[in-house]
Every structure is written in structure tokens, then in C-alpha cells.
Amino acid sequence: MKQVEFEHVQADLTGYGFGKGLRNEFVNAEGTVRKRIEAGWDYQGYLPLTTRGTGEIEEISLVFVKED
């Protein structure tokens, strides 16, 4: 049997200026994936959860799987 877990990661708005001068960054996503892999989970990918009308992704769900 496999366990599946999802971990939500919110983007931080960074940069300066108007419009495309600003950007969304998932600052701690790599650290989250690293910790889960070290704990025995397999990273499967991500699902975009929230996007802006202009197409930028604001929140993702990281997908992890682990054998029981």
C-alpha cells in the first residue's frame, strides 16, 4: 500500500517595479522536497492550486509517495 501526501507551498512576491518587474518565487520548495526525500518519501511532482488571471502560479501542492 502506498501513502500519498500533499504539501502546499505559497509563492512569495519579490522584485520591484510594476507588472513584470515583480515575480512569484517558491523560496522554500527545494528545502521541503529535500527533507521529504531524506525522510524516505519519493517526490512525484506538483499541482498548481492558485493562479492569477495573468498566468502566474501563486500556490502549488507538492506530491509525495511512500511505500508502507
Side-chain angles (χ1 to χ4, degrees):
M1 184 74 167
K2 291 184 180 183
Q3 296 178 19
V4 178
E5 288 193 8
F6 303 91
E7 189 155 341
H8 293 194
V9 179
Q10 186 75 31
D12 295 327
L13 191 61
T14 62
Y16 54 89
F18 295 103
K20 293 295 181 179
L22 298 173
R23 64 178 183 248
N24 289 327
E25 287 188 39
F26 297 95
V27 177
N28 53 350
E30 289 176 341
T32 301
V33 172
R34 177 176 282 116
K35 287 178 188 174
R36 289 289 192 131
I37 289 172
E38 289 172 352
W41 291 88
D42 292 324
Y43 173 69
Q44 299 294 303
Y46 74 94
L47 302 167
L49 297 178
T50 307
T51 58
R52 300 182 65 104
T54 53
E56 290 90 358
I57 299 173
E58 291 185 336
E59 183 179 14
I60 59 175
S61 178
L62 302 175
V63 183
F64 299 93
V65 173
K66 185 177 187 180
E67 289 287 337
D68 281 338

